[in-house]
Amino acid sequence: MADQLCTTAQVKARLFPNGVTSSDDDTLISELIDQVSAWMQSYTGRKLVPENAATYVLDTKAGSVLRIARGLRTVSSMGAASTNQPDTAGTYTAVTAADILLRPKAVDLDGWPPTEVWLNPTGTGDVLRFYDALNGATITGNWGFESTPLDITSVAIDATVAAFQSRRNGASSTMGADDMAMPPWSKFFGRGSPQKGTLDRYRYHSV
């Protein structure tokens, strides 16, 4: 199952406010949630669900900052290399935990995960900077938001309900050009819509 920004139960509660015990449509609803969630995460460029104790290998640029679009809440361990490394089984020097700084600080984030890893240039460890290197860092930690933001879940429910209600009219749920959605999601993700405004607030802009 793909990342899901809302649950089947949440969608069914919106579709059937008087309650429903049948599970006949659960598979379809779950598939629609997958589609909606995948598009929303692709559009924002962020992982909008939490992922814990995961390891990723990242390319690095020379300097003291490594930017991470999806966000990184905590670091369990980190290694860095001064030369290109293979996708797997690379050789890394361990970064001293005290030299790893996550920014912005929690006081400035209001529930968002930090999106940058800084190395303290006056630290005490063996690694005080990143290099221009493919697969130049390996990080194990907790990634993304601690939980899916409530406004993101609300948008996902809206879009999934629209897709379910339009399932028999032949409308396509394919996203069109110019970041515009084809029916049945267009009214939610079209320019100027509050739902698209919500996504734009979460959209990652590279530096």
Side-chain angles (χ1 to χ4, degrees):
M1 182 180 294
D3 294 339
Q4 293 198 335
L5 303 180
C6 62
T7 68
T8 298
Q10 288 173 316
V11 173
K12 289 171 71 173
R14 182 77 62 81
L15 287 167
F16 313 111
N18 293 326
V20 62
T21 57
S22 172
S23 60
D24 291 349
D25 294 314
D26 284 10
T27 298
L28 172 60
I29 291 172
S30 183
E31 290 174 353
L32 293 173
I33 293 172
D34 285 345
Q35 294 170 23
V36 168
S37 300
W39 186 83
M40 289 173 63
Q41 291 196 133
S42 176
Y43 179 81
T44 59
R46 293 185 188 275
K47 191 86 163 178
L48 297 170
V49 297
E51 187 173 19
N52 298 324
T55 300
Y56 287 99
V57 176
L58 307 165
D59 299 333
T60 55
K61 296 292 185 182
S64 61
V65 178
L66 175 61
R67 294 183 174 86
I68 299 175
R70 65 183 297 182
L72 178 63
R73 303 191 312 278
T74 62
V75 176
S76 302
S77 63
M78 180 176 177
S82 59
T83 59
N84 295 340
Q85 298 298 314
D87 288 339
T88 58
T91 300
Y92 299 91
T93 300
V95 180
T96 300
D99 295 339
I100 301 171
L101 307 174
L102 297 180
R103 294 293 188 271
K105 290 185 175 182
V107 68
D108 299 317
L109 288 171
D110 193 24
W112 287 58
T115 53
E116 295 180 347
V117 177
W118 292 12
L119 295 182
N120 185 353
T122 60
T124 60
D126 295 327
V127 180
L128 301 179
R129 66 185 297 260
F130 297 109
Y131 293 83
D132 285 323
L134 298 175
N135 300 319
T138 178
I139 300 176
T140 299
N142 295 335
W143 304 76
F145 289 86
E146 187 171 3
S147 60
T148 300
L150 294 178
D151 51 354
I152 289 292
T153 294
S154 179
V155 171
I157 294 171
D158 286 346
T160 304
V161 167
F164 182 85
Q165 291 176 331
S166 301
R167 67 195 185 281
R168 293 191 180 94
N169 67 6
S172 171
S173 62
T174 301
M175 298 303 160
D178 237 357
D179 293 330
M180 295 293 288
M182 301 297 289
W185 295 342
S186 57
K187 67 179 179 179
F188 295 111
F189 296 129
R191 286 190 182 91
S193 73
Q195 289 85 358
K196 186 172 185 294
T198 296
L199 295 191
D200 285 341
R201 290 197 299 274
Y202 287 88
R203 198 170 192 183
Y204 179 77
H205 299 281
S206 61
V207 178

